[in-house]
Each structure stands twice: as C-alpha cells, then as structure tokens.
Amino acid sequence: MNIDQARQGLEEWAQGGRDAVFSMAEEFGASRETVEEDPLRLLPLWDDFVASLPLDEFDDDDWFWLQSQIAAYVAYVLVHVHGGRWEVAGDASAPQDFKYVVTVAGWDGAEHQVDVFDLAYEELGHRPPVVTRMLGNAEVLAGVTVQEE
C-alpha cells in the first residue's frame, strides 16, 4: 500500500479503530452509548485491565495487539474529546513511507500530529504501563493541556 491508497482508505482505517474501542468497551461491560457519551469513563477500566495482564508472558503478537488497542482508544479520545481527526502523514522512516496520525488543534492554535501507535509502543516500555499516563502524554503532544505560566 502506498500513501495515496492509505489516504483513500482512511475512513475505513478510522472505522476499524472505532470498532476496536467499542469491542474493548464491551469486554469491560460498557455500552457503545457510554463510550460515545464520554470515552474517558473507560480510562480506569483500561488501567485495571492492563495491570491485570501477564506482560512477562507476552509474545510479539500479544504486544502488537495491546499496542493497537491502546492506540485506538487514545486516538478515539483525541478525536471525540479534543476534536482531532485521523490523517495519513508521510514518514520516510516508516516501512511504507507513511504513518497514521491524529491531528489536533492545540490551545496555541497550531495543529499537532500525534502518532498514537508510536506513543503506545514507547509507553508500553514503562513498568507498569499505565493508560492514564499514555493519554496524558498524548494530550501534551496534541497541545490540549493548559500551558504552565
């Protein structure tokens, strides 16, 4: 797939992310309506879920699945709480020369791109991994946190 094909399939990509969020919410016992109303209500459930995982037993597929699920949730919050949008950005360092990012208008009026997959990957390297911290870091990268004076 090249960048133009990725851009043409962007809505399908975004829908896959939303489906992942709703599927995990269902696993947590939350309804789709609850997520649509306030996706932040899932945050403590995410933290409890990740804390319960046998991370020392994870193989590469398990890590990729967890990274993808967390990235989908963080992206959903950036889109639905902070008015972000999915985009395809060129990236010469990526295997396919592009990456999926969430673009958010920050408090400074500038648009900030957040690579939620890279963020989740980096944050999963911390022990224990905490989704609340991941989301907070995404919000800082998106420029939607209140600036210190």
Side-chain angles (χ1 to χ4, degrees):
M1 177 183 314
N2 63 37
I3 193 167
D4 292 328
Q5 292 168 322
R7 286 182 175 136
Q8 290 173 358
L10 186 58
E11 180 50 41
E12 184 178 341
W13 169 265
Q15 183 60 52
R18 289 187 296 269
D19 291 346
V21 170
F22 297 136
S23 176
M24 285 302 297
E26 186 176 314
E27 291 295 319
F28 296 154
S31 69
R32 179 183 185 112
E33 293 75 23
T34 297
V35 176
E36 289 172 340
E37 181 180 299
D38 182 6
L40 294 174
R41 291 172 66 186
L42 292 181
L43 198 49
L45 301 172
W46 262 110
D47 281 336
D48 288 347
F49 172 72
V50 172
S52 75
L53 294 173
L55 299 176
D56 293 335
E57 300 171 20
F58 269 32
D59 62 21
D60 288 345
D61 289 340
D62 296 327
W63 283 112
F64 179 76
W65 175 84
L66 183 59
Q67 176 189 1
S68 298
Q69 295 299 314
I70 292 171
Y73 173 68
V74 170
Y76 189 89
V77 172
L78 291 176
V79 169
H80 293 279
V81 174
H82 299 295
R85 66 185 179 281
W86 276 108
E87 290 188 342
V88 178
D91 183 357
S93 68
Q96 298 178 320
D97 293 330
F98 69 86
K99 60 184 176 180
Y100 294 96
V101 297
V102 178
T103 300
V104 182
W107 288 103
D108 59 1
E111 289 197 331
H112 302 266
Q113 290 186 334
V114 180
D115 182 342
V116 292
F117 295 97
D118 188 50
L119 176 89
Y121 177 82
E122 292 295 324
E123 289 292 325
L124 284 169
H126 296 282
R127 293 292 184 264
V130 179
V131 178
T132 299
R133 181 181 59 230
M134 294 180 205
L135 180 57
N137 288 338
E139 291 174 325
V140 168
L141 291 171
V144 297
T145 58
V146 176
Q147 298 273 334
E148 290 186 29
E149 294 185 27

